[in-house]
Amino acid sequence: MSGDPILAIDAMGGDDAPAVVIEGLARFCRRRDDVAFHLHGDEAKVSAALRDAPEVATRSEIIHADGSVRMDEKPSQALRTARGTSMWNAIEAVKEGTADAAVSAGNTGALMAMSMLRLRKMRGVHRPGMTAFWPTVNGVSVILDVGANLEADASQLVTFAIMGEAFARALMGIENPTVGILNIGSEETKGHDEVREAAAILSAGEFGMNYVGFIEGDDISMGAVDVVVTDGFTGNVAIKTAEGTARMFTHFLRNAFSSGPIAKLGALAVANGMSEMRDKLNPSNSNGAVLLGLNGIVVKAHGGSEPDGYANAVNVAMNLVGGHYLEGVADGLARLTDREKPAAE
Amino acid sequence: MSGDPILAIDAMGGDDAPAVVIEGLARFCRRRDDVAFHLHGDEAKVSAALRDAPEVATRSEIIHADGSVRMDEKPSQALRTARGTSMWNAIEAVKEGTADAAVSAGNTGALMAMSMLRLRKMRGVHRPGMTAFWPTVNGVSVILDVGANLEADASQLVTFAIMGEAFARALMGIENPTVGILNIGSEETKGHDEVREAAAILSAGEFGMNYVGFIEGDDISMGAVDVVVTDGFTGNVAIKTAEGTARMFTHFLRNAFSSGPIAKLGALAVANGMSEMRDKLNPSNSNGAVLLGLNGIVVKAHGGSEPDGYANAVNVAMNLVGGHYLEGVADGLARLTDREKPAAE
């Protein structure tokens, strides 16, 4: 157990913390046991929650923190009073190297702000990018940026591609993840300057990346690429639009299945197939957003997480640690930096 | 019949023209008969197609055109050889006032370029906006721009709001359509300058518009507003993302319903409910995109239209004519123009 990765857990982050957090860790432990947890939070509350989860307790050390960040606090406000909170201490542990990654279901804005402040951007990264998972017909894809920034110039889009590729490789074990830039047409002449310039850089092939070109909105759910690169405004609208559309379908399905006694029997008959579908589209399975581009790994679990969702976010953190994600990104960024200033040397 | 609206039909536009076009008109005639058609196209082919559609023939006049625009022609290329094609003549008829609106299932780019060239922008419009219909849990909404432009500044977004509101009123018969600006958060402080400035202008209430504020991607399919205002890049990505997500759901549903003999029986039992759902989400029902902001009405039917889809595009044209859409927009734009230069006068 001594060589196992150590995760710094913000045990007080999220709507039902620490109960949901500990239950999530317990579910993760049923999948893997090569991990140790540092549980940052209120000692009394955390140890009470641990009583029902001996499999977590044996792998955990509680590190007391007096305060916690409220879910509705503004990032700027949270930053002022952040020092010593469970969230702050978890991030600090990553910075100090006493943990390999941090996981929090707490206030997203505060988590991003603190992570940027304490972990700093990697060399070569102008703006970090927020990832999200996107269920597709043939599995799951990664999209970034989904809202860390409002805009992205060509060089930022290229950085997102590099980080997203390393992320997908570490996380999904794909040797050469396919990468596409989201655009409003697939021809090279389409789109605004930023996407066309980024495409030209990636097409040149210097990064040894499996760049496939432009993709359109309808290609994402079809699983056309493993990594979808876009600016934070477009990415955020796209993923929320997909969520809304999925919700609409669920609404219509529920109506169809309850439209009469025969339909209700029919619903029972297709229940197996439907539960497979629900499983594939279950948000828990795509839980765990990551702010890419920092000197350290911080995974955000959804605030209202189900324990399964939290377990999945923990899994994301573990795979990034084990998949040598940070080294992969540093590698790609070094090639980008070399490219950007050969003439000056 | 003498006072009925006259539609200029590009009978040669679309993948299976003129057959699908005439069949579409026939289906429209089963719904309404207060219309006359000017069928622009190859006289021999069009009259051959009319032989099977007497209900269309009695309301039609064929206006011979020698050429037609190919579906794969670039707009710039099409413009050079456009004069005298069925598409050109249909638009020209709107310009000359011999028809009240034009409908074409032909090459979208060429149709937009020709419409802009011949009909010109309305006074007060810097950039026309392309609309699309969006099926929602409680009906259908309108979104614009979905790709006529790549970007939109605050004043263009306000223009889209004015045009979209008049469009929804004319088309759906809603007295005070609700209008929202697509953003990545609902707070006033969120989003880039363009959306925040546009929101400030619309919130001031000078247009007497039912502006409800920012909406997010997941609000669209929930039917949060009747009119979704956004720039062409974001709008195009959003609507295609929704289409892709819908296709993914259909894929999973098909699998669920064919996963075994019991599931297949179940599928039969819910067939009624499912067909209602399919009907609600049927692309034919939301066919008919319009380039708003020109001095005239030109409706684009999907190129590979089913006859029902074409009939719906014709219905859109008729409702815009009957709903006094152009007058409504002119009204709103006049208020915007007044607002923009009161100090100078």
Side-chain angles (χ1 to χ4, degrees), chain B residues 7 21-37 55-56 59 307-308 310-319:
Chain B
L7 298 188
V21 172
I22 303 299
E23 176 59 23
L25 296 179
R27 296 202 187 181
F28 177 78
C29 289
R30 283 172 223 158
R31 296 199 234 164
R32 290 175 66 163
D33 62 359
D34 56 338
V35 60
F37 304 119
E55 69 277 53
V56 180
R59 290 185 180 80
D308 281 333
Y310 199 92
N312 202 68
V314 172
N315 195 43
V316 168
M318 286 291 284
N319 285 341

Side-chain angles (χ1 to χ4, degrees), chain B residues 241-256:
Chain B
T241 296
E243 285 167 10
T245 306
R247 217 175 301 148
M248 176 178 73
F249 254 89
T250 309
H251 166 92
F252 284 138
L253 272 181
R254 202 175 300 130
N255 285 358

Side-chain angles (χ1 to χ4, degrees), chain A:
Chain A
M1 185 171 146
S2 60
D4 292 341
I6 297 171
L7 299 188
I9 304 292
D10 170 13
M12 310 307 285
D15 291 334
D16 292 307
V20 170
V21 172
I22 303 299
E23 176 59 23
L25 296 178
R27 297 203 186 179
F28 178 78
C29 289
R30 283 171 223 159
R31 295 199 233 163
R32 291 175 65 164
D33 62 359
D34 56 338
V35 60
F37 304 119
H38 287 183
L39 306 176
H40 297 268
D42 183 289
E43 180 147 32
K45 289 181 185 164
V46 175
S47 47
L50 277 178
R51 249 166 251 149
D52 297 329
E55 68 277 54
V56 180
T58 59
R59 291 185 180 79
S60 296
E61 182 182 325
I62 301 177
I63 301 173
H64 179 74
D66 264 331
S68 62
V69 176
R70 286 201 324 276
M71 292 305 273
D72 59 351
E73 257 175 310
K74 290 207 170 153
S76 53
Q77 193 183 345
L79 273 188
R80 278 197 294 274
T81 55
R83 198 170 288 268
T85 59
S86 56
M87 185 186 281
W88 175 280
N89 289 356
I91 294 168
E92 199 65 22
V94 174
K95 181 180 167 64
E96 299 299 332
T98 57
D100 296 294
V103 179
S104 174
N107 184 321
T108 309
L111 186 69
M112 281 172 49
M114 274 183 218
S115 302
M116 284 181 63
L117 180 72
R118 299 306 296 160
L119 299 177
R120 300 270 165 194
K121 291 175 289 191
M122 295 177 82
R123 189 167 165 268
V125 174
H126 301 288
R127 300 279 188 84
M130 183 68 119
T131 62
F133 295 103
W134 191 300
T136 71
V137 292
N138 46 32
V140 67
S141 298
V142 172
I143 179 170
L144 79 162
D145 178 19
V146 293
N149 314 282
L150 286 169
E151 284 160 354
D153 63 22
S155 141
Q156 283 158 17
L157 289 172
V158 171
T159 313
F160 293 161
I162 291 170
M163 299 192 300
E165 191 214 22
F167 183 81
R169 184 180 297 121
L171 215 64
M172 307 169 178
I174 310 169
E175 187 55 41
N176 276 306
T178 51
V179 179
I181 297 178
L182 188 55
N183 198 355
I184 66 170
S186 53
E187 303 86 3
E188 279 176 39
T189 53
K190 286 274 177 93
H192 45 57
D193 293 349
E194 291 80 0
V195 296
R196 285 189 290 111
E197 277 170 37
I201 296 172
L202 292 177
S203 299
E206 296 164 64
F207 304 106
M209 187 185 289
N210 197 352
Y211 173 69
V212 302
F214 290 136
I215 62 159
E216 297 190 69
D218 51 340
D219 296 321
I220 311 177
S221 291
M222 293 298 109
V225 292
D226 299 312
V227 181
V228 179
V229 173
T230 187
D231 65 273
F233 191 90
T234 309
N236 185 286
V237 167
I239 196 157
K240 288 195 173 158
T241 295
E243 285 166 11
T245 306
R247 216 175 302 149
M248 177 178 72
F249 255 89
T250 309
H251 167 91
F252 284 138
L253 272 180
R254 201 175 300 129
N255 285 357
F257 284 162
S258 58
S259 56
I262 294 178
K264 280 178 190 161
L265 277 177
L268 286 177
V270 295
N272 272 341
M274 294 301 292
S275 95
E276 264 177 54
M277 168 171 145
R278 258 194 303 275
D279 194 47
K280 271 177 190 140
L281 299 175
N282 184 349
S284 281
N285 293 338
S286 43
N287 199 333
V290 184
L291 193 60
L292 300 185
L294 303 179
N295 293 302
I297 298 167
V298 177
V299 176
K300 169 70 177 74
H302 293 168
S305 284
E306 297 292 305
D308 281 332
Y310 199 92
N312 202 67
V314 172
N315 195 44
V316 168
M318 285 292 283
N319 285 341
L320 289 178
V321 173
H324 306 286
Y325 155 71
L326 285 174
E327 297 88 323
V329 178
D331 233 49
L333 290 175
R335 271 176 286 166
L336 178 63
T337 315
D338 290 350
R339 182 188 178 281
E340 280 180 343
K341 43 179 175 181
E345 287 169 354

